[in-house]
């Protein structure tokens, strides 16, 4: 450490123990700068306005004095709440819990809080928790599976980023998607390479862009291979509903499918139960794949071949996109890669 820097450290005033909390004026005096410079540095708006050396001096002075900005006062002054809303379907699986974890982690790094707003399927949007969403929130991050909730809170009137949503018709200023089409391509290619030609698509009975993409992509992949056939059965996303749908589809007239591609791991679990009721063994008589790679996938016997979706990264990317929108920056582009995890639920047909 240089003598000048050491002298500066020794000469800094300190706030006496038991006295009032240090202020930005104390930091400015300790660092030898103006209060305006302190505001710029601690508000992370110093680049191009003060030097790197000055910014570091201010940060060091703030650390030495134990200074913490009065965020409530600053937010009131700026007209910001530093609170964003994450709108998701009912939390029936850990996938959206992972989305929340990733989003909240990035938000906290930038001094934002996240309010979680589940919109349960089947009973409509939850009640609006805000007297005025516009005054209570800075922005909204929403899954297309829960888009109806945006109407209840007028969330479309706020800075909005959509998750798993059609980029061409999105309500939001930006969209963040997993590359779900590629995930379905991987699952179809795997089953085709094993020799399967008769397929059942157990589709989620949910009106959502992400499930429409899965159906279209699967049909397109199978159409490319001569001699393939696919029947579709729809089911709400629950294990018990999937049991009923899969059992009916597997006992329908005509040759029985040898492979079932499920839109979700819960639907795959229901297919397992239906297969057992029918005396079918997995994967000897029936191969099964899922999507999500929930903890459920490795709890099943045999373990499930499924498309792994990184829920936490999904939440992180969504929150980074929303922060970019709030700062008038262009969010990062490109879909988030996914990959097929091959386990024991798939094998060549007999």
């Amino acid at each position: 450490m240089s003598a000048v820097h050491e002298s500066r450290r020794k000469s800094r005033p300190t706030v006496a123990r038991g006295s009032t909390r240090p202020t930005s004026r104390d930091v400015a005096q300790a660092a030898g700068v103006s209060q305006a410079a302190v505001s710029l540095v601690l508000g992370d708006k110093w680049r191009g306005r003060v030097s790197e050396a000055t910014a570091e001096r201010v940060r060091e002075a703030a650390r030495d004095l134990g200074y913490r900005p009065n965020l409530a006062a600053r937010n009131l002054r700026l007209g910001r709440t530093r609170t964003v809303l994450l709108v998701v379907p009912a939390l029936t699986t850990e996938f959206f819990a992972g989305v929340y974890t990733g989003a909240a982690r990035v938000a906290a790094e930038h001094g934002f809080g996240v309010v979680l707003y589940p919109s349960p399927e089947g009973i409509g949007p939850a009640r609006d928790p805000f007297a005025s969403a516009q005054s209570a929130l800075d922005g909204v991050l929403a899954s297309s599976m829960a888009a109806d909730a945006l109407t209840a809170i007028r969330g479309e009137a706020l800075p909005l980023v959509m998750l798993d949503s059609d980029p061409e018709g999105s309500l939001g200023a930006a969209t963040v998607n997993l590359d779900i089409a590629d995930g379905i391509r991987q699952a179809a290619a795997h089953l085709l390479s094993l020799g399967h030609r008769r397929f059942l698509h157990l589709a989620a009975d949910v009106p959502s862009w992400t499930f429409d993409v899965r159906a279209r992509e699967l049909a397109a992949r199978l159409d490319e291979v001569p001699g393939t056939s696919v029947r579709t059965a729809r089911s709400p996303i629950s294990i018990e509903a999937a049991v009923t749908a899969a059992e009916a589809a597997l006992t329908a007239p005509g040759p029985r499918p040898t492979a079932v591609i499920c839109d979700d791991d819960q639907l795959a679990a229901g297919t397992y139960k239906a297969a057992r009721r029918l005396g079918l063994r997995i994967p000897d008589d029936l191969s099964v794949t899922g999507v999500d790679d929930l903890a459920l996938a490795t709890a099943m016997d045999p373990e499930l071949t499924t498309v792994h979706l990184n829920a936490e990264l999904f939440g992180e990317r969504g929150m980074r996109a929303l922060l970019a929108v709030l700062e008038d920056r262009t969010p990062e582009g490109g879909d988030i890669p996914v990959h097929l995890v091959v386990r024991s639920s798939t094998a060549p047909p007999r």
Side-chain angles (χ1 to χ4, degrees):
M1 182 180 296
S2 70
V4 172
H5 192 61
E6 180 65 24
S7 173
R8 185 183 296 121
R9 284 180 59 87
K10 289 179 179 178
S11 65
R12 283 182 184 149
T14 59
V15 177
R17 190 178 299 275
S19 67
T20 58
R21 58 184 287 175
T23 67
S24 62
R25 180 177 296 177
D26 296 323
V27 176
Q29 183 179 352
V33 299
S34 66
Q35 280 184 264
V38 171
S39 296
L40 288 172
V41 172
L42 299 184
D44 200 26
K45 296 180 179 179
W46 60 272
R47 292 172 181 83
R49 305 172 79 172
V50 301
S51 68
E52 174 69 52
T54 297
E56 178 55 33
R57 197 161 74 244
V58 169
R59 288 191 289 262
E60 191 173 354
R63 285 194 298 268
D64 289 350
L65 292 173
Y67 172 73
R68 296 292 184 271
N70 186 334
L71 294 179
R74 185 178 72 179
N75 293 341
L76 181 62
R77 185 172 66 251
L78 296 175
R80 300 282 290 272
T81 66
R82 301 191 79 77
T83 301
V84 298
L85 189 68
L86 174 61
V87 182
V88 298
L91 298 175
T92 53
T93 74
E94 75 261 26
F95 179 80
F96 284 105
V99 172
Y100 170 79
T101 298
R105 180 165 52 241
V106 170
E109 291 171 357
H110 292 81
F112 278 75
V114 179
V115 177
L116 186 62
Y117 183 97
S119 174
E121 181 198 353
I123 61 173
R127 289 181 57 191
D128 182 357
F130 308 104
S132 171
Q134 284 81 0
S135 62
L137 301 167
D138 285 340
V140 178
L141 182 62
S143 164
S144 66
M145 292 176 64
D148 287 346
L150 296 173
T151 303
I153 60 170
R154 291 186 54 78
E156 73 279 5
L158 288 160
L160 172 66
V161 168
M162 295 297 298
L163 302 174
D164 51 44
S165 180
D166 183 356
E168 300 302 319
S170 175
L171 297 171
T175 59
V176 175
N177 287 321
L178 296 152
D179 194 351
I180 197 68
D182 186 54
I184 296 301
R185 281 194 292 271
Q186 293 179 46
H190 170 65
L191 291 169
L192 288 167
S193 72
L194 291 173
H196 292 279
R197 295 296 182 268
R198 297 196 305 274
F199 293 87
L200 167 63
H201 178 206
L202 190 55
D205 192 14
V206 178
S208 174
W209 173 84
T210 182
F211 295 120
D212 291 343
V213 167
R214 298 171 206 210
R216 288 197 304 268
E217 192 61 34
L218 178 59
R221 293 308 104 196
L222 298 185
D223 281 349
E224 294 175 348
V225 180
T228 61
S229 63
V230 59
R231 66 178 65 162
T232 300
R234 297 190 175 277
S235 169
I237 301 179
S238 79
I239 293 174
E240 290 310 312
V243 173
T244 302
E247 188 169 357
L250 291 171
T251 56
R256 190 182 67 236
T258 62
V260 184
I261 296 182
C262 302
D263 274 353
D264 176 274
D265 289 353
Q266 290 187 85
L267 300 183
T271 301
Y272 272 47
K273 293 184 70 173
R276 281 195 295 273
R277 288 183 182 181
L278 297 173
L280 301 175
R281 293 174 298 172
I282 298 172
D284 298 341
D285 303 310
L286 195 67
S287 288
V288 181
T289 66
V291 175
D292 276 349
D293 199 16
L294 306 176
L296 176 65
T298 53
M300 294 157 64
D301 185 23
E303 294 188 355
L304 179 66
T305 295
T306 187
V307 179
H308 177 79
L309 310 182
N310 191 330
E312 290 193 21
L313 179 58
F314 196 26
E316 289 178 5
R317 279 277 299 274
M319 185 56 64
R320 292 190 194 283
L322 180 56
L323 293 174
V325 169
L326 292 174
E327 297 171 2
D328 292 323
R329 294 185 288 106
T330 301
E332 178 183 353
D335 292 346
I336 298 170
V338 305
H339 65 275
L340 183 71
V341 180
V342 177
R343 298 192 179 102
S344 303
S345 68
T346 50
R350 292 201 300 183

